[in-house]
Amino acid sequence: MSLLISQNSDVISLGEICNFQKDIFEKSRCSCGSLYHQCDFWGDYCQDKSISDPICYAARRSEASYLVDSSKTAYWNALRPFMLRRSGWNVFVIHMRRDLPSVIRSAKKGRNTHLENGVIRKRLFESLRTCFGRLIADLAAIIWKLFGFGPYLAVNYQNLREDFDYSVNAIGKFLNVDLSIAREKVLKRQALDVGHEVSGNRLLRAGPVYFWI
Ligand SMILES: [Zn+2]
């Protein structure tokens, strides 16, 4: 979803930006394929230590109206939207919902960085951890909505695939951004621009990315 939104040039997708320092330490790669210190977008951030917060750096570097933070809001990250709001950001929450069995299946595959490096590392009680993580993330989003912390939109993953036009229109209207480029690329089965996302899905770094509907 972050990729779809960021096809608009006024939106920059940061990926799971909460993992940035760990990614740099582990010498992981940006979605453009480069090591962060060699990346066109993040290279200056790695060299220049005057801005410690990568989100502030991205805001200044890109001058985009929207920055998409796809950090998972499970466990210790559950308060992330609230903390960002407290720091002065105008936060729009898009609550991506997906059926639990699919979430567990995805979690059981392992961490993206491990899969990319061919490492097989199973965690104990993966299904249970995933259930709790999802519960916490859902609770955080519902509290955000119920107590009116800011704009909120729920998007169902399955609907995004099965009723693409409806979901994309809803997201475009919610953010007041034109998503016609994303819509056109998907309908014409063209590759999406992967930008410079941190961490997250290894498929971003595996070649052209398409969104099939
Ligand atoms: Zn990059």
Side-chain angles (χ1 to χ4, degrees):
M1 184 167 65
S2 64
L3 280 193
L4 291 174
I5 303 171
S6 63
Q7 299 309 298
N8 182 311
S9 58
D10 203 25
V11 182
I12 299 287
S13 181
L14 307 177
E16 292 185 44
I17 195 73
C18 67
N19 294 330
F20 199 25
Q21 300 304 338
K22 183 169 66 63
D23 261 29
I24 291 175
F25 179 74
E26 291 178 353
K27 295 189 168 52
S28 302
R29 288 176 186 271
C30 173
S31 62
C32 69
S34 302
L35 292 167
Y36 291 110
H37 69 275
Q38 292 169 340
C39 160
D40 286 345
F41 188 81
W42 294 113
D44 288 345
Y45 172 78
C46 297
Q47 309 298 330
D48 177 9
K49 301 295 177 195
S50 63
I51 305 177
S52 59
D53 182 352
I55 301 182
C56 291
Y57 165 81
R60 201 171 296 179
R61 168 82 165 70
S62 69
E63 294 180 349
S65 297
Y66 285 98
L67 303 170
V68 183
D69 178 354
S70 310
S71 305
K72 290 186 184 73
T73 50
Y75 295 106
W76 49 83
N77 262 331
L79 296 179
R80 191 170 176 82
F82 304 91
M83 300 302 281
L84 287 170
R85 180 180 180 270
R86 202 167 172 215
S87 302
W89 296 100
N90 189 15
V91 179
F92 288 63
V93 167
I94 300 181
H95 184 189
M96 174 63 98
R97 308 207 58 178
R98 192 177 182 187
D99 65 286
L100 190 56
S102 303
V103 176
I104 292 173
R105 263 200 307 278
S106 173
K108 277 186 167 175
K109 285 181 191 168
R111 277 185 54 194
N112 281 297
T113 43
H114 291 158
L115 291 169
E116 253 178 318
N117 297 326
V119 177
I120 299 170
R121 194 174 294 169
K122 299 285 180 196
R123 295 195 308 172
L124 281 173
F125 311 115
E126 187 62 69
S127 300
L128 201 60
R129 283 174 187 230
T130 305
C131 288
F132 272 118
R134 179 189 147 124
L135 182 68
I136 291 167
D138 280 349
L139 267 177
I142 289 164
I143 288 170
W144 176 274
K145 179 191 174 187
L146 284 183
F147 290 90
F149 279 95
Y152 168 94
L153 177 74
V155 175
N156 184 290
Y157 178 80
Q158 206 60 30
N159 287 352
L160 186 61
R161 304 288 303 272
E162 291 171 3
D163 197 351
F164 178 73
D165 267 341
Y166 175 83
S167 299
V168 161
N169 283 338
I171 297 166
K173 206 170 156 189
F174 175 67
L175 298 173
N176 196 23
V177 294
D178 179 9
L179 297 182
S180 56
I181 295 174
R183 188 177 172 277
E184 204 175 309
K185 283 184 179 176
V186 170
L187 295 178
K188 290 184 177 172
R189 300 203 155 193
Q190 293 173 344
L192 299 173
D193 180 1
V194 296
H196 299 280
E197 285 202 10
V198 170
S199 194
N201 201 321
R202 68 195 180 282
L203 298 177
L204 297 182
R205 292 172 286 276
V209 174
Y210 300 88
F211 187 86
W212 299 115
I213 56 170

